[in-house]
Amino acid sequence: VCMLLRCRPFILVLLALAASVPVFAHEHRITWLNDDLAPAFINVGPYQGKGIVDGVVAMYQEHMAAYEHESVTANMIRILEMMKLGEQVCYAGFIKTPEREEFIYFSKPNLVHISNVLIFKASATESLLQHKQTASLAGLLDQGDLTIGIVQGRSYGHGIDSLLAAVPPDDPRVHLSNWDDMERLLALLDSGRIDCIIGFPWEFSYTIRNRSNKDNYQVAIIDEMAGEQWGLNFVGCPRNEWGRAAIEAI
């Protein structure tokens, strides 16, 4: 008994050290999230992992040698949910908004991108633009008989986000896609289930690059994005101590 009592402090120290090792290792592991936003992230095909933001993430991983890194694909709804839950994840393709800053720490800007445009069938140009060169999102919503396709959870810039936020849930004027890829939205446009899409011009161009019907589509600048033609990309990690340390390391 005496031997056990004398050894107990040593045993407790060993147990404490053993318990601390996986915690330490876990604290220095980052799961990098990516979505189907080609060519920012390219998740399939011969250029898999060679997207624009993929390259930025690779540089961060090389710089952050003290961390273990892995990559997981998720849609934007899941990405935001994981941020809110405080999981040890980071995403390098965020647009920063006041709402997101409530639960996300952001890095300094890492990329500049061209802002979102309206994408539609060329045959619908007159009805959507009303003899203008640009599109009014407010005007399209006021028409009441059009359906605009967007990705659920994505930020499109303040001018667009503020208008979309005022649209009630399940309103037929806005189709919310749970999938991030442009291919699915274009399929809805082609089938007539939606009338237009809000998306990045480079995302659209990449998606149709090998199509023979490129001339079937048209794009237009959105009036509400005046002054926001260019946007900034940020890395985001959860707003907790782990996320703060990760952003400082980035």
Side-chain angles (χ1 to χ4, degrees):
V1 174
C2 292
M3 285 294 293
L4 286 174
L5 291 175
R6 286 196 296 270
C7 290
R8 183 177 292 175
F10 180 65
I11 293 170
L12 291 175
V13 169
L14 285 177
L15 288 173
L17 287 173
S20 69
V21 170
V23 172
F24 177 82
H26 187 57
E27 288 295 311
H28 287 76
R29 184 183 303 130
I30 294 181
T31 297
W32 291 93
L33 302 174
N34 57 73
D35 53 356
D36 289 318
L37 184 58
F41 299 98
I42 300 179
N43 298 321
V44 296
Y47 299 107
Q48 182 176 0
K50 300 185 183 301
I52 299 166
V53 182
D54 288 326
V56 173
V57 171
M59 288 191 291
Y60 288 140
Q61 291 176 345
E62 184 177 351
H63 170 71
M64 301 169 71
Y67 283 80
E68 295 179 19
H69 304 272
E70 65 174 352
S71 297
V72 171
T73 300
N75 63 21
M76 184 52 65
I77 291 297
R78 179 61 179 149
I79 290 170
L80 294 174
E81 180 184 344
M82 295 171 82
M83 294 286 167
K84 289 177 180 177
L85 291 173
E87 298 186 26
Q88 293 178 192
V89 297
C90 295
Y91 175 71
F94 271 127
I95 292 176
K96 183 164 64 173
T97 69
E99 294 78 16
R100 289 175 174 179
E101 286 187 285
E102 293 179 3
F103 58 93
I104 296 174
Y105 280 127
F106 288 100
S107 68
K108 295 179 180 179
N110 56 22
L111 287 172
V112 177
H113 63 258
I114 303 174
S115 294
N116 290 274
V117 295
L118 194 74
I119 302 159
F120 49 92
K121 291 181 180 178
S123 59
T125 300
E126 186 174 331
S127 61
L128 292 177
L129 301 189
Q130 302 292 319
H131 307 290
K132 295 168 49 184
Q133 297 298 313
T134 59
S136 166
L137 180 57
L140 295 175
L141 291 170
D142 286 343
Q143 286 189 41
D145 59 347
L146 299 174
T147 301
I148 303 166
I150 64 171
V151 173
Q152 190 169 10
R154 186 185 288 190
S155 173
Y156 290 92
H158 175 72
I160 294 175
D161 289 348
S162 58
L163 282 173
L164 294 177
V167 178
D170 300 322
D171 191 305
R173 293 176 297 170
V174 175
H175 173 86
L176 295 173
S177 173
N178 291 326
W179 301 94
D180 297 324
D181 61 309
M182 176 63 65
E183 192 74 55
R184 293 175 187 265
L185 285 171
L186 284 174
L188 294 175
L189 181 64
D190 291 339
S191 67
R193 293 180 60 189
I194 61 176
D195 299 287
C196 52
I197 301 165
I198 300 175
F200 292 112
W202 42 266
E203 172 189 21
F204 168 67
S205 297
Y206 182 85
T207 303
I208 67 166
R209 69 194 185 285
N210 294 323
R211 291 194 179 196
S212 59
N213 64 341
K214 296 183 184 70
D215 293 338
N216 290 356
Y217 305 103
Q218 185 61 270
V219 301
I221 294 171
I222 299 172
D223 292 341
E224 287 79 6
M225 292 301 289
E228 293 185 74
Q229 286 88 357
W230 297 91
L232 298 174
N233 255 40
F234 300 82
V235 178
C237 306
R239 185 171 278 274
N240 54 27
E241 281 304 304
W242 180 90
R244 181 190 57 76
I247 288 295
E248 287 179 358
I250 289 169

